Amino acid sequence: MPPSEHSPNWDNLYREKTTPWDKGAPAPPLLEWIGANPSQIGGRVLVPGCGLGHDVRALAALADVTSVVGLDLSPTAVALAAEFSKVGRESYLTGDLFALDDAHLGTYDWVWEHTCFCAIEPSMREEYVRAVHGSLKPGAGLLGVFYLDPYDDEHQPGGGPPHGCSIGELSERFERSDRFRIEESFVPTRSYPGREGLERLVRMRRL
Ligand SMILES: C[S@@+](CC[C@H](N)C(=O)[O-])C[C@H]1O[C@@H](n2cnc3c(N)ncnc32)[C@H](O)[C@@H]1O
């Protein structure tokens, strides 16, 4: 199923530099988790919806990571990401998570999720779970920071992205699909300013 026609034109937003989600630095909850769990993330990592790739480079700097693929629908984002100095075995790819090439299927040891799940139309969430599951090896890890409550005075549920979710929905979609088991879930102590207490760090095992 293609992304909804109501989705933003992400590439236009990058070309216009209308990218309020881009904080110019890796996601603080990712750095928090890596700090508390050194040497846990290794092998081949996929970062769907990587934008300018700040998280990709943070992951590529880890000793046990052999490759990180930052995937994004927007060719402009991918081109901008590739302009950053290389830190490890990272690469960037223009592509659609929902139409992953066969060469990516079942090949990843980890997926790092950050503001891709909340960016897609909620009607595509089942597809998201299927796509991420399909990219991972059996027993591999999905680590993600999920934006539970991204709403503010200007942006309410039913508007455009970011779209919120609940812990119950995460369990419903990921666990009850029999595709993942949630093994860790907590409110990160480190967040970008304005997101404190609104996110949930979740680590799952691909079944
Ligand atoms: C809100 S932005 C977040 C970007 C980045 N994670 C960050 O925090 O800076 C959402 C990103 O997801 C990308 N995206 C949306 N749908 C996608 C899809 N189906 N496949 C790959 N990337 C997608 C968009 O192009 C955009 O870069």
Side-chain angles (χ1 to χ4, degrees):
M1 187 158 77
S4 161
E5 64 195 31
H6 303 300
S7 294
N9 184 323
W10 294 104
D11 198 58
N12 275 354
L13 294 174
Y14 281 103
R15 274 191 269 137
E16 294 163 358
K17 301 196 188 317
T18 309
T19 55
W21 58 83
D22 185 85
K23 308 300 182 194
L30 172 62
L31 300 182
E32 177 180 338
W33 194 88
I34 289 171
N37 300 276
S39 306
Q40 287 292 300
I41 298 189
R44 193 165 144 78
V45 185
L46 175 66
V47 182
C50 68
L52 299 197
H54 308 297
D55 296 345
V56 171
R57 289 180 292 280
L59 288 159
L62 300 178
D64 298 321
V65 167
T66 53
S67 65
V68 189
V69 175
L71 174 78
D72 205 286
L73 215 45
S74 161
T76 303
V78 166
L80 290 170
E83 285 178 10
F84 284 83
S85 300
K86 206 161 167 65
V87 300
R89 293 185 183 150
E90 75 270 32
S91 61
Y92 305 97
L93 181 66
T94 301
D96 184 349
L97 175 65
F98 303 127
L100 274 182
D101 193 85
D102 282 357
H104 293 268
L105 300 183
T107 63
Y108 290 94
D109 298 288
W110 286 90
V111 164
W112 165 244
E113 155 58 43
H114 168 217
T115 54
C116 184
F117 186 81
C118 72
I120 60 169
E121 282 289 307
S123 61
M124 294 297 286
R125 287 179 174 175
E126 198 177 323
E127 280 301 307
Y128 175 97
V129 174
R130 192 171 298 144
V132 168
H133 179 270
S135 73
L136 287 166
K137 298 173 183 171
L142 165 59
L143 182 67
V145 61
F146 292 88
Y147 211 167
L148 300 189
D149 176 10
Y151 305 117
D152 55 26
D153 290 347
E154 293 168 16
H155 174 232
Q156 294 298 319
H163 304 282
C165 65
S166 65
I167 297 167
E169 181 184 355
L170 292 179
S171 171
E172 177 72 36
R173 291 201 181 277
F174 287 89
E175 291 197 296
R176 290 196 205 147
S177 66
D178 284 334
R179 291 193 165 94
F180 290 92
R181 182 176 62 244
I182 294 178
E183 296 189 333
E184 189 179 1
S185 170
F186 64 95
V187 178
T189 56
R190 293 171 60 183
S191 287
Y192 292 129
R195 292 192 196 169
E196 299 93 341
L198 304 177
E199 300 176 308
R200 189 100 186 170
L201 202 296
V202 183
R203 182 177 55 78
M204 309 184 204
R205 180 80 43 207
R206 187 252 205 235
L207 300 176

